[in-house]
Amino acid sequence: MDDLIILVPSYNEEKNLKKFISNKYNFLILDDCSTDQTNKYFTKRNIKVIKNNKKQGYEKNILNGINYVKNRLNKQYIMTFDGDGEHPVEYIKKIYNFAKKSNSDLVVCNRSKKNRFMEYFVSFFFNIRFKIKDPFCGMKIYKTDYLYKIINSINDKHFLAEILCSFYKAKKKITNFDIKTNNKQDLSKIGNNFNINKKMFFLLKFCIK
């Protein structure tokens, strides 16, 4: 799995990260100006951490991470993996192997349980339009050749849905992979409910137009 890097966007997730981050996989923690000890704790344990000087937000943080890998590392696959503990770490190898075996350009995980009603609602239409069951899932794996071509044109405000749509419109191979999620205790890491629902409403308009 040397050709895979796993980007973990994080904001004050030190406690959760300690439960699954290890040297078993090639993790890169994207620390969005946390006030906890994420950077210090994992750097001491030889886990690579990029800490932002100011808070960027979930989407921008991931985009910065992808560009970092693009410019400095030679990887064929990039996986995104949320830092809140929702995604079981045991799926990493399974999804990587699935991506390789199926020769997928993009694998989007489909959570067994979503966190908000609007996620179910918008995902229903997104699946009809783009054949993607769970666009809001933070666990995805991208083949980097096409991702690198489009990354600088991606909007940083709408859960990175433009990436999914771009892969679809370019007729890249997109597959879904069902996962059973862990219980998620804190829903506030990506913004307050008003802003989240606003983004989801935008996606609904985006996918049905």
Side-chain angles (χ1 to χ4, degrees), residues 71-177:
N71 295 326
R72 304 194 184 197
L73 304 174
N74 181 26
K75 299 296 179 182
Q76 186 178 4
Y77 292 95
I78 289 177
M79 178 181 285
T80 56
F81 192 97
D82 286 351
D84 56 16
E86 182 181 29
H87 308 137
V89 71
E90 57 264 28
Y91 279 105
I92 290 175
K93 188 173 183 179
K94 293 177 183 179
I95 296 167
Y96 169 80
N97 289 337
F98 174 78
K100 299 272 282 191
K101 185 176 181 179
S102 63
N103 195 29
S104 297
D105 296 294
L106 169 61
V107 179
V108 183
C109 290
N110 178 39
R111 293 166 293 168
S112 56
K113 183 179 180 181
K114 299 173 179 61
N115 299 308
R116 300 170 180 84
F117 170 77
M118 274 295 287
E119 291 184 54
Y120 286 99
F121 187 68
V122 178
S123 294
F124 173 80
F125 289 100
F126 219 90
N127 188 31
I128 292 174
R129 177 68 176 84
F130 300 109
K131 309 303 180 186
I132 297 172
K133 296 180 180 179
D134 189 1
F136 302 108
C137 184
M139 192 174 188
K140 303 178 180 73
I141 187 167
Y142 305 87
K143 192 179 285 186
T144 55
D145 51 358
Y146 182 69
L147 179 65
Y148 289 162
K149 292 178 181 178
I150 64 169
I151 195 62
N152 291 323
S153 65
I154 298 302
N155 191 299
D156 63 358
K157 297 179 180 178
H158 304 114
F159 299 117
L160 306 180
E162 285 90 341
I163 295 180
L164 308 183
C165 298
S166 183
F167 270 72
Y168 176 85
K169 292 176 181 178
K171 298 183 179 180
K172 298 299 179 180
K173 186 174 182 179
I174 302 173
T175 51
N176 298 282
F177 191 98

Side-chain angles (χ1 to χ4, degrees), residues 14 31 36-45 49 51:
E14 178 189 1
D31 184 356
D36 62 13
Q37 298 299 307
T38 293
N39 184 30
K40 183 178 180 180
Y41 179 87
F42 288 101
T43 298
K44 281 186 175 181
R45 286 155 179 79
V49 181
K51 183 167 184 176

